[in-house]
Structures are given as structure tokens and as C-alpha cells.
Amino acid sequence: MQHRIIVLGAGYAGAIAAGRIAKRLRREDVALTLVNAEPDFVERVRMHQLAAGQDLRPRPFREVFAGTGVEVKLAKVTGVDVDRKTVTVTAVDPHGTGRTEQAGGTEELAYDTLVYALGSAWSNHGVPGAAEHAHDVAGRPGALRLRERLARLDAGQPVLVVGGGLTGLEAVTEIAEARPDLDVALAVRGGLGDWLSPKGRRHLRKVVDGLGITVHEDTAVTAVAADHATTADGTALPAAVTVWTTGFAANPLARATTLELTDAGQIVVDGTMRSVSHPDVYAVGDAAMAMGPGEKPLRMSCATGTPMAWQAADAIAARLTGGKVPSIPLRYFNQCISLGRGNGLIQYVTADDRAVDRALTGRLAATYKELICKGAAWAISHPTLGLPTRRRPLLHPQPHQTAPAEVAA
């Protein structure tokens, strides 16, 4: 019987994991299913561009996985039972709206190996009014809503971006460049780019000033209303549109399982991305808590999710075929920040993601960042980076374990 492998989520980590597993195992030995709620691959690292009015190249999964042996199931994951080894999904509108079908669309899928890659969404940290009034760029639906809202703004209206991390910097500079007629501001808890090297901070300040962005440093936003945001000291910052970029939260679905999780809801995994509590479950990307150099938790990012996907896929293939489980280095090299279409900042970092005194800036950095984005998308269709691969047979094919509910039926 075929070994059933289900991958949940087709972001960078999930899509790469599915494609790489397909390259490692014989098609006749495995039934490999990738479940995702959208028909196209979403380049999450470009959502600020989409929000600012740019059109992105569509990447339909039917083309990405054509001829690979990966079955793409367009559905929303609504439940995971890691004890019965089943996943419940609900079919979604095939036109890509993300809406679930009204009738007859619920299905239970059984697995032998599960790869959980349901990622993360924006987190408002419980700030009053943020959920009702703020916009996000954490995914395509949010970016499109923000795009529509920005398009309706008249010249001179205020836009406030809250959060000074990578996402916030890319969003605020992209919006300011695309809409120089708007009054764009950025609110950050600490100093502007305070984690960067001195060269990086100087360049960031120069770009922000050149785009006319007002920066509110050492500013914590404590409430959001339709036309303003309130700070911890009671100051009201005008905002016809508030963009919230203060961090991400793992998909809450894992909290309903018996998987061992962190307090933040991420699945605890070992060095091979295998759940420490359920050995037939692997977790990759933002959904997982993996440790990097110096036993520091890896941050949520595409730079983290891709090598995690390589490690999980290769570990699954090795264990099923009797091979040696490889160890793929999980370390950082740089942080790539686009600052509009013609400017950028590449901050070089230590293995554990601390800035060093080297940075690439300007148009060359923008070109570098663009190549990184294109490379990340290319890796979805080339999960082994174009290297030749050999599909290996399973070592000991096992009969499926029947779920209790199926026995009762």
C-alpha cells in the first residue's frame, strides 16, 4: 500500500517540502497530497508591493506541481487529529476567493506522515481597535484590502504604519514611494532600525527622510480608531489608514491538538523538524519552533522556512527509505530589506541573526533583494535547487493504521 503523506499549507515552507519529498520518493510508493486554501502560490515577501498597487505574476499550483506526483487539494484545513492521524478539510471556491463551499465540501483525510506548514497570520496583540480598524500585509486578502483602501485616499490624507521591523520598513517605504501625495508616518517602539549596524541605520534614515516619512520613535500604539491611533502617553496620531506590522502569530489550529506546543502556539520540533511528541508529524515554517545557532529560536521568516522545509523533506525520505538522516545548517547570513523599488538595505548578520558592521545599500541592495525574492519563488518549482535527484523505494512499506472512527463505521 502507498504511504500517505499530507502537507498542510503551501507557503514557502509547505510548497518546498511537498516538492522536495516528491523528488526523493518513488511515485508508486507514496500518495502525496498538498492542501491549500488558495490556487496560486502567494509570494508573501511581496505583499507590501501588492498593497502599494503593483501587480504580481500569478503562479498557479496546477502549473508548479504539474508532473511531480503532488496532488493539490484546494481546501481549508478545519481540524487536525494527531491521535487518529486524520485531517478535516473543507473545499473552497476554486476561483480563489478563499471562501468555503456551502454544502458537501467537508472531507476527512487520513495520513501516515503529516507535514504541518499552516504558517502564521498578523497579530494585533490585543490592542483595542486594531482588529476592527487596522490593515495588514501578512497575506494576499489583507494586502488587497489595503490596496483598495489606499486607492480611495485623497492627496494629503495621513497613513500610519505601526511597527518598525522588516515588514513595517518595507511597507512604509513602498507606500510612501508609490503615493508621495499622502502624509505617511511610521511608529516604532524603539529607535528607527535600532537592531541594524551603524551603516545600516544611517542609510535607512536617509531613505526615510528622502521619502518624507515622519518617524515616531519610542512610541507604543495602545489603541486604534477609524481616523487615528493613540499612543501610550495619550497622543493621537492622525491616520485615515493604519497598517499594523508588529508581528505574526502562529495558526491557532495546532492549539486544538495534543501536539506539544510553545506558549506562542508553535509546534515544538527536533533538529529534523519532527514533532517531539508525535513522531509521524513534522512542522516547518512559522508553525514550528526550531532552534538555531546558539540554541536560539529561529524567527518567523522565509529565510527560516526554506531550510526547515529542506530538512523535514530529506528527513522524511531518509527514514522511509532507510537512508542516513542529513543535517541541513540552519543559520542566517543577512537580512534583506527593500526600501521602495529602487533602493534597499542588505544587513549582514552572524549565524544567530545579530547585525555585523557590514551592509550593502542603495540600488545594488535593491537588485540583490529582488534576486532573493525571485530565487525564493523559483525554489518552489525547483525544491532541490536544480540538482539531479534519485527517487528511492520505501524500505518497509507498512499497512495503513485505520482510524478508530473508520473501524466503527
Side-chain angles (χ1 to χ4, degrees):
M1 300 178 72
Q2 287 183 309
H3 187 90
R4 299 164 300 185
I5 302 175
I6 296 179
V7 180
L8 304 181
Y12 290 98
I16 289 175
R20 195 170 176 103
I21 292 170
K23 290 280 189 179
R24 301 294 194 217
L25 301 174
R26 296 195 314 185
R27 295 180 188 176
E28 59 266 34
D29 291 341
V30 296
L32 180 52
T33 304
L34 176 62
V35 182
N36 197 62
E38 296 194 59
D40 298 342
F41 174 67
V42 176
E43 290 187 82
R44 197 174 189 184
V45 296
R46 293 189 187 274
M47 288 300 97
H48 57 285
Q49 295 176 233
L50 184 64
Q54 298 163 44
D55 294 323
L56 304 181
R57 171 190 168 189
R59 300 178 186 275
F61 284 123
R62 67 175 182 274
E63 296 178 8
V64 172
F65 292 108
T68 64
V70 177
E71 176 194 355
V72 179
K73 179 175 285 292
L74 190 60
K76 180 180 180 180
V77 181
T78 55
V80 178
D81 190 328
V82 293
D83 299 314
R84 295 179 58 243
K85 301 178 69 171
T86 60
V87 176
T88 303
V89 302
T90 302
V92 299
D93 179 1
H95 299 295
T97 64
R99 297 176 180 173
T100 56
E101 295 182 350
Q102 294 300 312
T106 300
E107 182 180 3
E108 186 175 85
L109 310 175
Y111 66 83
D112 299 302
T113 298
L114 180 70
V115 180
Y116 187 106
L118 289 178
S120 63
W122 71 299
S123 174
N124 57 45
H125 302 290
V127 171
E132 296 82 4
H133 301 296
H135 292 262
D136 75 279
V137 288
R140 182 156 51 189
L144 289 174
R145 285 192 294 270
L146 176 57
R147 176 189 180 115
E148 293 173 1
R149 183 70 184 95
L150 290 172
R152 297 197 301 269
L153 292 183
D154 295 327
Q157 288 192 275
V159 174
L160 175 67
V161 176
V162 181
L166 303 186
T167 303
L169 295 180
E170 293 194 325
V172 75
T173 51
E174 201 75 50
I175 293 169
E177 181 182 84
R179 291 292 305 273
D181 59 318
L182 297 176
D183 182 8
V184 181
L186 174 68
V188 299
R189 279 185 171 272
L192 179 65
D194 54 10
W195 77 94
L196 298 170
S197 66
K199 180 179 179 180
R201 290 196 298 272
R202 288 194 300 270
H203 182 71
L204 176 60
R205 178 69 68 177
K206 177 181 177 181
V207 172
V208 165
D209 289 346
L211 290 171
I213 298 169
T214 301
V215 181
H216 303 282
E217 298 182 89
D218 301 311
T219 300
V221 172
T222 56
V224 180
D227 60 354
H228 71 277
T230 304
T231 68
D233 63 4
T235 301
L237 303 178
V241 173
T242 298
V243 185
W244 200 266
T245 67
T246 63
F248 300 92
N251 188 301
L253 201 62
R255 291 191 182 276
T257 72
T258 56
L259 290 163
E260 183 173 334
L261 308 177
T262 66
D263 291 342
Q266 290 177 290
I267 299 170
V268 181
V269 297
D270 63 17
T272 67
M273 305 303 119
R274 195 181 202 178
S275 163
V276 297
S277 61
H278 292 73
D280 46 20
V281 176
Y282 292 73
V284 293
D286 293 355
M289 173 54 73
M291 305 305 289
E295 288 302 298
K296 290 177 60 176
L298 296 171
R299 61 180 166 87
M300 294 182 177
S301 69
C302 173
T304 299
T306 297
M308 290 173 74
W310 294 339
Q311 178 63 71
D314 290 358
I316 290 169
R319 287 179 173 130
L320 290 177
T321 60
K324 180 181 178 181
V325 177
S327 178
I328 295 173
L330 298 175
R331 59 150 297 161
Y332 296 101
F333 296 94
N334 52 48
Q335 296 177 4
C336 303
I337 312 170
S338 64
L339 302 173
R341 291 301 83 211
N343 211 319
L345 169 61
I346 309 301
Q347 175 63 63
Y348 296 101
V349 298
T350 59
D352 61 353
D353 210 28
R354 291 174 291 113
V356 299
D357 196 23
R358 288 186 296 115
L360 186 66
T361 62
R363 183 168 294 277
L364 183 58
T367 301
Y368 185 112
K369 171 64 187 296
E370 180 62 21
L371 290 174
I372 292 295
C373 291
K374 289 182 176 178
W378 177 85
I380 301 301
S381 300
H382 303 81
T384 57
L385 306 181
L387 298 175
T389 60
R390 175 186 172 188
R391 293 183 173 88
R392 298 181 179 277
L394 300 193
L395 182 63
H396 298 298
Q398 297 291 325
H400 299 321
Q401 296 182 8
T402 306
E406 295 174 327
V407 173

